[in-house]
Amino acid sequence: MDRINVLVEEYRALYGLLSFRLAAVDQRVPLVAGALMAVVSSVASLPAESQPAVLLAIPVANSWLLRMTVVHARAKEDVLRRIDEIERHVNQLAAEELLTFQSRHPNRQAAVSGRTGMGAVSSVLAMCFAGLLACLAFVVNRPATPSAFLLAYLGYTAVGMLDLVHVVLRLRGYRYAKGPPAAAPVSRILKAGV
């Protein structure tokens, strides 16, 4: 019973962490994405000498935003898989099915970090693509854009888009891996030596 109680406490703590991860994706990411889109839409109103710096910063900011979303999605995946493990372990110790939400969820492991996690990643990816395409359209339609800058920026945005796709593809292949077992507690080591 003590072992089950310890696992249930970890289960509760993990659900709290899961709520934090969901809130991070559901609240913070849209705020940052909105701010980034506001910057993209205001490039034309900036002084001409400031525009190239902003245009160069936007792909980097897009990459950062997607990577932060993926970090939360991976962490959410780890939490979901550990909750699944705890449910199975508690059920095994109790010799009956007591906890089942994650361990018997119909979409279990169908998408990394569940439907909401992959939905958020896909939304941020689409927003990042839209931001990059808007910047590229601005550069193409900007009067007196040097052709060297246009070609360099086209390559820069292409590399940025490939990087975004690479990040998402790596996430799709992500699998939770339980860490190695911890060393024996000090109390057990001291008892063995006595």
Side-chain angles (χ1 to χ4, degrees):
M1 197 59 184
D2 288 341
R3 292 171 69 192
I4 289 175
N5 288 337
V6 168
L7 289 168
V8 168
E9 285 306 313
E10 182 182 1
Y11 188 81
R12 284 187 186 133
L14 287 171
Y15 262 106
L17 181 58
L18 184 60
S19 296
F20 168 76
R21 293 292 178 197
L22 287 171
V25 170
D26 290 345
Q27 295 170 2
R28 294 179 188 151
V29 169
L31 289 174
V32 173
L36 190 55
M37 291 311 289
V39 169
V40 168
S41 63
S42 67
V43 170
S45 64
L46 294 172
E49 53 277 352
S50 300
Q51 290 174 354
V54 173
L55 289 168
L56 291 172
I58 288 172
V60 174
N62 277 341
S63 179
W64 170 82
L65 174 61
L66 184 64
R67 279 176 163 65
M68 288 298 96
T69 307
V70 165
V71 164
H72 282 291
R74 286 177 59 173
K76 183 180 173 225
E77 173 69 11
D78 293 345
V79 170
L80 289 173
R81 297 295 68 84
R82 180 60 186 146
I83 288 170
D84 180 346
E85 286 178 353
I86 290 171
E87 286 179 359
R88 292 174 189 278
H89 196 178
V90 166
N91 292 343
Q92 181 185 16
L93 290 172
E96 68 178 290
E97 206 169 63
L98 300 173
L99 302 172
T100 61
F101 184 73
Q102 286 301 326
S103 57
R104 297 190 70 205
H105 196 280
N107 290 323
R108 190 175 87 74
Q109 295 182 338
V112 175
S113 86
R115 293 176 299 215
T116 57
M118 283 311 294
V121 169
S122 299
S123 297
V124 171
L125 177 64
M127 189 276 316
C128 289
F129 274 161
L132 290 175
L133 290 173
C135 288
L136 190 57
F138 176 79
V139 170
V140 167
N141 295 316
R142 186 175 173 219
T145 299
S147 59
F149 182 78
L150 178 60
L151 286 174
Y153 197 75
L154 178 62
Y156 182 56
T157 54
V159 168
M161 287 181 175
L162 288 173
D163 178 59
L164 296 174
V165 169
H166 175 72
V167 168
V168 173
L169 289 177
R170 279 189 36 218
L171 174 65
R172 290 184 184 270
Y174 178 74
R175 295 292 172 254
Y176 165 73
K178 195 172 184 176
V186 174
S187 60
R188 194 178 306 161
I189 295 170
L190 292 176
K191 283 182 182 177
V194 174

